[in-house]
Amino acid sequence: MVDYSLISFMEERLKSTPVAFSRYMYSRINWNSRLIGLTGPRGVGKSTMMLQYMLAQPSRKQMLYVTADHMWFATHSLVELADDFVKSGGKWLCIDEAHRYEGWSREIKQIYDGHPGLHIAFTGSSVLDINKGEADLSRRALMYHMQGLSFREYLEMFHSIKAPLLSMEDILNGEVQMPDALEHPLPLFRQYLSEGYYPFAIEGDLAQRVLQIVSLTVETDIPMYADMKASTARKLKQMLGIIATSAPYKPSADHLAQEIRVSKNNVPEYLLWLEKAGMIGQLRDDTGGMRGLGKVEKVFLDNPTLMTVLSGGSPNVGNLRETFFYNQMRVDYDVMSSKISDFRIDGATFEVGGRNKGQRQIREAGKGFVVKDDIEYRHANIIPLFLFGLTY
């Protein structure tokens, strides 16, 4: 029999779960899979989405939601819970914050192998690597990685405006029709850039919450997985502070190593951990031949809201535009650096700027576009920046 304290905890969480809006990943997950893993940065809504799925099921009595840091697990195991749950007729087990449970991958593997009729879903930190745990789950689990809100999702969640979901092809071909409620999108776009990436912004105290996420991510999550000392975690935070003052940042291992007093050989590893954790994004060229393997040309802060908070509310507007474009397009496309302008995606070249941005950088591009902020309509190869926030 499942302990009543766990049932009570689940019911309280379900009761407070909003259902009016669901994230883009909800429709992409194969919920019928026997083992699902959902990772992503802190605060993007992973737990809420799992709970929303449970609320939508008619057989909820056969489902159980637990969080791996619940006090019950101080004296009990995940395997013990799964055994009791299955004996009680359980069919679907969700383990939230699985990475907080020591030996989580080994026990999930044991549960998966021992209960073939049980569906398991777990959420975890974005720095979690299922290939490097105590047990390799890569052949068993379908893994999904979720980012923060797109501009399209922000419009629906915060303003109840349903904007169209566009592919990059729709945008480049001019196949876009805005709803009447979005006749003048720029004021809402400004709001999104400053506060719209994290769903918890709707609760208020945004800056404080974002800074807490930064501290927990850099001081707790990364050291836990990278087996770092506290002194190294402080250097990571220092590195993030340096990047925040000049992002998009042209990476210099020598400069960063001198600033935070580490070997320059450690710099690429530290940057990679910050990227995995959702603190930065690294724009690479195509020399690697595969996504994520090329030479790093620029380092961005991960998203416009993080950039706004870490700048004290006054980010450089040009850098903010580039950060937005890169952040939104990387979800579904391989965004690479361009030798002649800002970005290249699937053979198309993009120069991002304000209303007065010219065509000079893309004159030599076979398929070049100027992406402008502060405009509402497309003209020839000039495309409004906000449209690229409607792609997921």
Side-chain angles (χ1 to χ4, degrees):
M1 190 75 178
V2 176
D3 189 271
Y4 178 75
S5 66
L6 296 176
I7 300 293
S8 177
F9 176 80
M10 175 184 70
E11 292 299 335
E12 288 299 320
R13 288 296 306 268
L14 287 169
K15 225 190 305 186
S16 61
T17 299
V19 295
F21 167 80
S22 58
R23 294 296 319 278
Y24 76 99
M25 188 59 74
Y26 190 98
S27 61
R28 298 188 181 191
I29 290 177
N30 177 7
W31 295 101
N32 294 319
S33 174
R34 273 197 58 214
L35 183 57
I36 297 166
L38 178 64
T39 64
R42 284 179 178 266
V44 298
K46 302 183 296 294
S47 305
T48 297
M49 193 173 69
M50 289 289 187
L51 290 163
Q52 287 176 335
Y53 177 75
M54 295 179 69
L55 285 170
Q57 305 313 303
S59 56
R60 223 176 74 206
K61 289 185 178 179
Q62 296 178 315
M63 308 179 82
L64 178 65
Y65 166 91
V66 297
T67 182
D69 59 357
H70 193 283
M71 279 300 297
W72 188 83
F73 291 108
T75 54
H76 300 81
S77 68
L78 282 172
V79 170
E80 181 183 346
L81 170 67
D83 290 344
D84 290 344
F85 182 50
V86 170
K87 288 173 186 174
S88 302
K91 298 292 185 184
W92 203 90
L93 176 62
C94 174
I95 306 165
D96 201 6
E97 303 281 359
H99 61 281
R100 293 178 177 272
Y101 181 95
E102 188 175 353
W104 65 273
S105 60
R106 182 185 66 248
E107 293 202 27
I108 288 178
K109 177 181 180 293
Q110 185 175 336
I111 294 168
Y112 177 90
D113 292 341
H115 297 290
L118 181 66
H119 290 259
I120 308 158
F122 65 90
T123 72
S125 164
S126 58
V127 295
L128 175 153
D129 189 340
I130 64 168
N131 297 297
K132 293 183 179 178
E134 292 173 310
D136 183 4
L137 296 177
S138 60
R139 290 180 293 107
R140 295 168 172 83
L142 278 182
M143 295 299 298
Y144 299 89
H145 185 77
M146 189 162 79
Q147 300 286 359
L149 295 173
S150 65
F151 179 45
R152 184 189 69 84
E153 290 182 300
Y154 168 78
L155 289 170
E156 184 173 349
M157 181 178 179
F158 284 70
H159 300 284
S160 299
I161 297 174
K162 291 203 171 185
L165 177 63
L166 305 176
S167 66
M168 188 178 73
E169 291 69 29
D170 294 333
I171 296 171
L172 300 189
N173 294 333
E175 298 170 6
V176 177
Q177 188 167 354
M178 292 294 105
D180 292 341
L182 201 59
E183 183 180 3
H184 298 295
L186 295 181
L188 293 175
F189 184 54
R190 295 279 161 270
Q191 290 178 25
Y192 169 79
L193 291 176
S194 64
E195 63 182 37
Y197 190 71
Y198 298 102
F200 57 71
I202 205 164
E203 301 171 20
D205 301 313
L206 174 65
Q208 182 179 349
R209 292 174 188 269
V210 170
L211 291 174
Q212 286 174 345
I213 281 180
V214 170
S215 292
L216 286 168
T217 299
V218 177
E219 296 171 5
T220 302
D221 293 348
I222 295 177
M224 181 189 303
Y225 288 100
D227 195 23
M228 288 179 177
K229 298 176 182 177
S231 58
T232 307
R234 285 194 293 272
K235 292 185 182 299
L236 277 181
K237 200 167 187 179
Q238 191 179 353
M239 177 182 282
L240 183 62
I242 293 169
I243 293 169
T245 61
S246 55
Y249 176 83
K250 180 70 175 175
S252 167
D254 288 332
H255 171 70
L256 278 175
Q258 289 172 9
E259 287 285 332
I260 65 175
R261 297 181 181 178
V262 297
S263 166
K264 70 175 184 179
N265 296 328
N266 294 128
V267 170
E269 180 188 2
Y270 291 176
L271 288 173
L272 186 59
W273 280 113
L274 288 172
E275 182 178 38
K276 279 176 169 282
M279 294 290 100
I280 65 170
Q282 299 189 85
L283 180 67
R284 297 169 171 86
D285 64 18
D286 60 357
T287 56
M290 292 176 63
R291 185 170 184 167
L293 295 181
K295 177 187 173 186
V296 176
E297 294 292 340
K298 281 185 183 178
V299 179
F300 293 84
L301 284 177
D302 182 76
N303 62 78
T305 299
L306 180 64
M307 188 175 185
T308 299
V309 170
L310 293 184
S311 70
S314 302
N316 176 281
V317 66
N319 296 343
L320 192 69
R321 291 161 178 157
E322 287 187 41
T323 299
F324 165 79
F325 183 92
Y326 176 64
N327 170 269
Q328 300 283 283
M329 296 307 292
R330 70 180 180 184
V331 171
D332 287 322
Y333 299 93
D334 192 359
V335 185
M336 295 181 292
S337 65
S338 168
K339 291 182 174 63
I340 59 175
S341 64
D342 291 324
F343 304 100
R344 190 159 62 86
I345 306 173
D346 292 345
T349 300
F350 300 89
E351 179 70 16
V352 178
R355 181 193 294 269
N356 296 321
K357 171 63 69 173
Q359 303 263 351
R360 180 176 57 82
Q361 285 91 342
I362 62 168
R363 282 176 186 160
E364 299 177 15
K367 188 178 180 183
F369 299 90
V370 178
V371 180
K372 290 189 179 185
D373 195 5
D374 302 320
I375 65 170
E376 293 182 344
Y377 304 105
R378 175 185 176 142
H379 173 67
N381 70 334
I382 299 171
I383 303 175
L385 177 63
F386 77 86
L387 288 178
F388 292 90
L390 307 180
T391 56
Y392 72 90

